[in-house]
Amino acid sequence: MLATEEIRQQIGRALKGQLADYVEIRIEEREASRIQYLGRELEDIGRSTSLGGNVRALVKGGWGFVSFNELGELRGKVELAVKQAHLVGKEASKFAPVAPVVDVVEPQMREDPTTVPLARKKSLLDEYNEIIWSTPKIQTSVITYGDSGKRVIFANSEGSYIEQTKIDLSTRIVVIARDDGDVQQVVLSEGSSGDFGFMEGLHEEVRQAARRAVALLSAPQVRGGEYTVVLDPVLAGVFAHEAFGHLSESDFVYENERLKDIMVLGRKFGGEHLNIVDGASIPGLRGSYKYDDEGVPATKTYLIREGMLVGRLHSRETAAKMGEKPTGNARALDYRHPPIVRMSNTLIEPGKVSFEEMIGEIKEGVYVKNWYGGMTSMEMFTFSAGEAYLIRGGRVAELLRPVVLTGNVFTTLENIDAIGNDLEMNQGGGCGKGAQSPLPVANGSPHIRIRRCLLGGR
Amino acid sequence: MENILERAKKVAEEAEVFLASISETPVGFEANRLKMLETRESTSVSLRIIKEGKIGFSTTTKLNDPDALVRMAVETAQFGVPARFILPSAQLYPQIEVYDPGVEAIPIENMVEMGDSLITKIRGHTPEILCHAGVSKSVGMVNIVNSRGGEASYRKSFFTIGIEGTLIRDTDMLFVGEIDSSCRPIRDVDALADTVIEQLELAKHTASVSTGRLPVILTPRGVRSAFFTPLALAFNGRVVVQGASPLVGRQGRQLFDERLSLWDDATIGYRPASRPCDDEGVPSQRTALIEGGVVANFLYDLQTAALAASRSTGSGNRARGGMPTPSVSALVIEEGDTPFEEMIRNMREGLVIDMLIGAEQGNVLGGEFSGNVLLGYKVERGEIVGRVKDTMVSGNIYHALKELVAIGREAKWVGGVLKAPALYCPSLAVASRG
């Protein structure tokens, strides 16, 4: 790994005496391994290492950014970023003050995946594949596993110097069933911020996924239209992320006067039972960290409390421009990108309703579980369920083909009329924004019920 | 590179070194103003070996440690998949123009001016619109050498300009935008501005639509957002050798409208997806995928071609220096003969879809798409009457493209990966709050 003391001195020399309002340097070293099965055969097994860094400079409200793999001539790179910022800057810089931090953060790990031998990882994936292939009518499977360990050094012109080591691992298991020209798939996504152990207990989930893929071949497709839907914790977490989380990212809001009017603190978005939180300081999840990529300590931020908009996610710049406090949500995918406002761990807090009560009151509706993905344009969001069932006469009935749900954030949150008591977090997600994807995040929720939710269909 | 190859040859039967470097200069505008200037330099080197018949792979950005690269590749090779292919030996590559020195020569100031003038023009039409824009130039180098004497290298330039505008009225949000890219400098921003202004004009009024089945015209952007991913997957040789593509065993069969022809093409001069050879050193080509509605070929890299007892179509791609895997270069759908205006004139009641969001999250492997209309219009009695909202459009490409009412006369590039005309589908499922 990096010779820290030498780098630290180099950084110190490079930052000295620059004509800028603010300068930061990030250096990142990463090791990763990946295994992919295509059907029964191992298709791809590989290892990678990378070393790179960037400089970001702020001058009169304008930014310069330089990224590189070659660490030499660091001072020259800082000068280039400062020069670029000078070309852009035309007004006073606004950048929320944060006390300088000097710290070294080691990851909290149960079992470090980067030290687990490839052979053990492979034999585990073999077991899962065996389960899939022992299911009749399976056409094929794709299993991907990846883990990475990275050390990030952050320093800025205000005297901060932070070293953070982060471990991340994720797996995606896709089971594909086929009947002539009809192809159906079921996807399992899981992840962890540093425990290889979670990879070991997936046997039953994999078995269910394989059976469901086959069952989908004979399942009907829902008719498109408005339904009362019940979302399981996984999908409700994706919903919280897509439908509201992105709208809370202040870089969408801070220079948009009209959006500021809409997203005014105190606005009512839902019933009093609705509480939505984002927080990297919630420990042990994939979106957890101690400092963000601007060196700001992580927080836990209420976005909606008792149905009202009470907070939003900030970088130092958006916080200053909106006269609010930084929340430690400026994150960069890697050294090739500047930090932007991102979510970390987003969740709907649990309420009081049991799953049975929630379902029992529905004459006709749809129960949706698991996720393929989600997307938002702020006002409109869509997200897709990997698993769906009709609800008839208060009971979960037959399996349907996967459905895509859509809605308008300003009406859908109000239409949540029941929030369950069974919070669960999902760690299989990766979030994309701009060119920066996938960023490790966690989403969670209890079961929730939404009235008049629009489903695409036949 | 030669150094890495020599070292790898000592421990493995075959070896291939892939080196890619890129230098990018993006200029970013936020909220109608210049926000950030960037310089991004990156280089990575990848090593693929065949040891005892099995493939090993490693990649790094650390160029000064070839031993570590070889060690990691050897470590993975013990578990690796058996190699079924032979690396390409020395050969001649087609002459495909993908480098224009004019791109590098464009001063940053001019790029800033372009972004400014694009935003100014659009705000001249709609002053309250908020625009994010980007103008970017880059130059990349690719070098490949292998133990069979194969050698390829080329330089590529890339220029792109894009804009996204948001217009908010109460809680109603309208998103408009356009992007253009080329291996040559793009100097004319007016065409982009005009497209966005036209979107703003058409979206001035809103219209309602009811749930049911309706005829739908997809613009080239609409074709991209609904059909591109299911098509790209279905013809991907990797999906085909798994038996997971609905097209397996259907080569030579008429599955699509007989006027529909689709090919993949990495040989068109100055297009961003073009190049003389793929990332394994196989010469680029134009590959017919659908000919007159009939399934023609699939896209293969070396390994999947061998598994399918076929030949590589020069479709081996490496995402950020990773293991090669087949993927499309640029899909091109052949033009038809119907002017866009005529399609609309002939529609009694239906939709024009310019952009769907989230259409690619469902069972894309099975050909399905289902997305929310981000930008789309209602047509009544041959005229666009307004923009539709809170509406989903769903279907399956194997039904939607089976019989088309019409194919547009003018094909248009959408980003760097698709050239398509407008397609008029007779009936798709529409769900709406009305």
Side-chain angles (χ1 to χ4, degrees):
Chain A
M1 290 296 262
L2 291 165
T4 311
E5 201 40 50
E6 195 189 315
I7 294 268
R8 189 169 179 171
Q9 284 179 14
Q10 255 189 53
I11 290 174
R13 282 195 297 273
L15 286 173
K16 208 169 244 166
Q18 297 290 350
L19 291 173
D21 298 327
Y22 172 82
V23 185
E24 70 187 17
I25 296 177
R26 253 188 307 136
I27 308 285
E28 182 183 304
E29 188 171 33
R30 182 173 185 270
E31 278 193 33
S33 66
R34 132 191 185 91
I35 304 173
Q36 177 154 308
Y37 276 81
L38 195 59
R40 282 173 183 276
E41 267 199 74
L42 191 113
E43 182 195 37
D44 175 2
I45 183 162
R47 288 193 53 189
S48 65
T49 58
S50 67
L51 176 62
N54 69 62
V55 178
R56 192 169 67 131
L58 175 65
V59 176
K60 293 184 179 167
W63 288 100
F65 180 83
V66 175
S67 71
F68 43 84
N69 288 120
E70 179 53 56
L71 262 45
E73 303 285 325
L74 199 51
R75 191 167 171 88
K77 284 160 182 145
V78 173
E79 281 163 0
L80 176 57
V82 171
K83 188 179 143 208
Q84 288 174 338
H86 270 283
L87 286 172
V88 178
K90 297 207 164 46
E91 54 196 36
S93 290
K94 286 188 181 159
F95 205 55
V98 170
V101 174
V102 176
D103 198 357
V104 175
V105 183
E106 294 298 340
Q108 307 212 320
M109 277 174 300
R110 288 223 194 89
E111 186 176 12
D112 182 353
T114 59
T115 62
V116 175
L118 274 177
R120 185 162 150 227
K121 293 172 185 169
K122 182 178 173 294
S123 75
L124 192 57
L125 299 183
D126 281 335
E127 284 177 37
Y128 295 145
N129 226 2
E130 241 352 275
I131 294 174
I132 294 171
W133 284 88
S134 64
T135 311
K137 280 201 194 169
I138 289 296
Q139 172 67 36
T140 188
S141 59
V142 184
I143 301 183
T144 313
Y145 167 86
D147 59 45
S148 67
K150 72 174 177 183
R151 182 139 79 132
V152 183
I153 296 174
F154 171 89
N156 67 23
S157 52
E158 298 164 343
S160 281
Y161 182 89
I162 302 168
E163 285 179 38
Q164 292 190 92
T165 303
K166 292 173 190 172
I167 307 289
D168 189 67
L169 68 154
S170 62
T171 187
R172 192 175 142 87
I173 299 174
V174 185
V175 188
I176 296 159
R178 179 164 188 250
D179 186 9
D180 196 21
D182 188 12
V183 174
Q184 292 294 322
Q185 56 178 337
V186 172
V187 183
L188 263 184
S189 290
E190 300 278 354
S192 163
S193 59
D195 180 16
F196 183 75
F198 95 93
M199 274 298 294
E200 296 185 315
L202 302 176
H203 299 79
E204 189 49 37
E205 275 185 75
V206 172
R207 188 168 296 123
Q208 295 297 336
R211 287 183 185 157
R212 203 161 60 240
V214 174
L216 283 175
L217 289 171
S218 49
Q221 194 175 14
V222 74
R223 187 174 292 279
E226 285 187 340
Y227 290 88
T228 296
V229 297
V230 173
L231 278 60
D232 82 330
V234 175
L235 197 58
V238 174
F239 166 76
H241 177 105
E242 293 302 334
F244 196 75
H246 280 295
L247 200 59
S248 302
E249 294 169 342
S250 297
D251 53 341
F252 289 127
V253 187
Y254 78 118
E255 290 188 303
N256 190 332
E257 291 307 321
R258 283 164 191 271
L259 202 50
K260 272 192 211 168
D261 291 342
I262 297 171
M263 294 298 288
V264 67
L265 298 184
R267 184 189 175 110
K268 192 169 173 297
F269 271 89
E272 281 190 5
H273 59 172
L274 184 65
N275 294 288
I276 304 182
V277 174
D278 182 275
S281 67
I282 302 168
L285 297 171
R286 278 183 84 207
S288 307
Y289 46 81
K290 192 167 176 191
Y291 304 98
D292 75 359
D293 289 314
E294 290 184 326
V296 178
T299 60
K300 178 178 165 184
T301 308
Y302 271 89
L303 307 176
I304 290 187
R305 190 172 235 158
E306 294 177 358
M308 275 198 325
L309 181 68
V310 293
R312 51 183 137 243
L313 307 177
H314 281 299
S315 64
R316 291 182 66 178
E317 184 180 32
T318 64
K321 290 207 169 169
M322 296 188 74
E324 295 170 10
K325 282 205 160 46
T327 57
N329 284 85
R331 303 178 66 190
L333 182 70
D334 59 36
Y335 64 89
R336 294 170 301 134
H337 302 278
I340 54 176
V341 181
R342 303 296 291 260
M343 280 172 266
S344 56
N345 306 308
T346 312
L347 61 104
I348 297 177
E349 288 191 333
K352 295 197 174 84
V353 186
S354 73
F355 177 65
E356 291 71 28
E357 286 173 73
M358 205 179 277
I359 295 278
E361 295 163 353
I362 301 173
K363 262 199 216 131
E364 198 198 28
V366 180
Y367 179 37
V368 285
K369 295 175 75 173
N370 290 321
W371 65 287
Y372 275 143
M375 215 171 156
T376 182
S377 71
M378 297 200 277
E379 180 193 10
M380 300 291 178
F381 58 83
T382 70
F383 55 106
S384 51
E387 202 180 335
Y389 302 86
L390 262 187
I391 300 171
R392 215 185 290 111
R395 291 196 166 180
V396 177
E398 68 265 30
L399 180 71
L400 296 167
R401 295 209 163 183
V403 296
V404 179
L405 300 83
T406 193
N408 182 313
V409 65
F410 299 103
T411 54
T412 308
L413 288 175
E414 267 179 33
N415 290 345
I416 298 177
D417 73 342
I419 296 180
N421 53 10
D422 47 359
L423 171 69
E424 273 177 48
M425 296 301 293
N426 176 262
Q427 307 241 59
C431 170
K433 180 174 171 183
Q436 302 194 41
S437 174
L439 189 74
V441 294
N443 303 320
S445 173
H447 277 94
I448 62 170
R449 184 172 65 202
I450 307 175
R451 299 282 178 191
R452 299 194 62 205
C453 187
L454 193 57
L455 261 54
R458 82 192 137 84
Chain B
M1 278 181 87
E2 299 296 338
N3 186 6
I4 298 168
L5 188 66
E6 283 315 309
R7 281 170 206 238
K9 270 160 67 176
K10 282 186 192 140
V11 295
E13 299 101 82
E14 303 286 351
E16 169 203 56
V17 182
F18 176 88
L19 182 93
S21 62
I22 186 160
S23 165
E24 297 170 82
T25 314
V27 172
F29 292 80
E30 232 183 80
N32 300 333
R33 280 176 305 180
L34 179 61
K35 179 76 181 179
M36 187 181 279
L37 294 183
E38 296 181 51
T39 309
R40 301 182 181 190
E41 307 272 354
S42 70
T43 305
S44 70
V45 59
S46 311
L47 171 65
R48 180 164 60 162
I49 59 168
I50 302 174
K51 185 174 166 64
E52 289 159 23
K54 294 192 287 188
I55 301 172
F57 181 81
S58 61
T59 178
T60 187
T61 65
K62 300 177 186 173
L63 301 183
N64 51 8
D65 196 359
D67 286 334
L69 193 66
V70 174
R71 200 170 55 238
M72 290 193 297
V74 169
E75 188 200 342
T76 61
Q78 51 181 318
F79 307 106
V81 54
R84 306 281 167 80
F85 58 89
I86 295 166
L87 290 166
S89 52
Q91 56 196 292
L92 286 175
Y93 292 107
Q95 184 78 22
I96 296 164
E97 301 295 340
V98 287
Y99 178 75
D100 182 335
V103 169
E104 251 175 308
I106 298 176
I108 304 248
E109 294 75 21
N110 289 21
M111 291 164 66
V112 172
E113 271 169 38
M114 287 175 76
D116 264 331
S117 90
L118 183 57
I119 292 170
T120 306
K121 228 178 145 176
I122 291 167
R123 291 188 74 204
H125 177 270
T126 305
E128 65 273 34
I129 196 169
L130 210 56
C131 295
H132 287 222
V135 185
S136 176
K137 63 174 182 176
S138 60
V139 175
M141 263 314 278
V142 170
N143 289 283
I144 308 168
V145 290
N146 68 41
S147 52
R148 295 258 159 181
E151 218 178 323
S153 96
Y154 62 91
R155 189 160 49 159
K156 190 162 157 175
S157 54
F158 182 64
F159 193 85
T160 181
I161 175 164
I163 185 150
E164 281 171 37
T166 315
L167 189 61
I168 302 179
R169 288 183 175 133
D170 298 323
T171 63
D172 171 48
M173 299 184 195
L174 170 67
F175 299 91
V176 291
E178 179 68 335
I179 185 163
D180 194 9
S181 56
S182 170
C183 296
R184 316 188 87 161
I186 297 167
R187 296 211 163 77
D188 176 23
V189 299
D190 288 356
L192 262 90
D194 291 344
T195 303
V196 174
I197 288 168
E198 195 190 344
Q199 293 168 354
L200 287 166
E201 276 294 320
L202 291 174
K204 264 188 175 157
H205 305 283
T206 54
S208 69
V209 57
S210 48
T211 296
R213 295 196 70 91
L214 280 178
V216 174
I217 299 167
L218 294 108
T219 67
R221 287 209 316 164
V223 171
R224 166 83 178 84
S225 59
F227 299 153
F228 180 82
T229 305
L231 282 172
L233 271 174
F235 286 94
N236 187 321
R238 184 171 169 271
V239 181
V240 171
V241 296
Q242 274 182 284
S245 165
L247 300 181
V248 169
R250 298 180 151 197
Q251 250 168 311
R253 285 195 24 205
Q254 172 99 38
L255 293 190
F256 303 99
D257 188 288
E258 61 182 18
R259 291 163 297 173
L260 190 72
S261 289
L262 168 75
W263 58 88
D264 182 64
D265 199 344
T267 68
I268 308 167
Y270 296 110
R271 289 305 309 168
S274 294
R275 54 193 183 176
C277 66
D278 74 358
D279 293 345
E280 298 182 296
V282 175
S284 292
Q285 63 178 53
R286 176 182 189 270
T287 309
L289 303 177
I290 303 173
E291 280 177 315
V294 175
V295 179
N297 299 291
F298 302 125
L299 298 172
Y300 295 111
D301 62 358
L302 288 170
Q303 176 82 354
T304 56
L307 291 170
S310 185
R311 284 181 56 240
S312 168
T313 51
S315 305
N317 280 290
R318 302 173 190 252
R320 288 189 50 70
M323 237 335 220
T325 180
S327 73
V328 300
S329 300
L331 290 185
V332 181
I333 299 177
E334 193 170 44
E335 297 97 336
D337 48 16
T338 312
F340 188 66
E341 299 70 32
E342 194 181 309
M343 283 188 190
I344 292 182
R345 235 182 1 252
N346 292 336
M347 185 180 252
R348 259 189 69 79
E349 186 191 3
L351 295 177
V352 173
I353 299 298
D354 195 39
M355 181 73 94
L356 292 178
I357 60 161
E360 300 171 348
Q361 335 162 356
N363 178 25
V364 280
L365 200 53
E368 285 165 22
F369 58 92
S370 186
N372 185 312
V373 181
L374 188 67
L375 189 58
Y377 316 103
K378 176 81 182 295
V379 177
E380 286 172 15
R381 287 182 288 282
E383 268 180 42
I384 289 181
V385 293
R387 166 189 173 216
V388 293
K389 282 188 63 178
D390 295 308
T391 301
M392 282 195 96
V393 173
S394 312
N396 183 302
I397 58 166
Y398 301 105
H399 303 140
L401 298 176
K402 201 176 173 100
E403 269 176 50
L404 292 163
V405 179
I407 298 177
R409 197 167 63 179
E410 277 171 38
K412 214 181 142 194
W413 281 102
V414 187
V417 291
L418 175 72
K419 188 184 188 187
L423 298 178
Y424 187 161
C425 301
S427 167
L428 295 181
V430 175
S432 179
R433 283 179 184 280

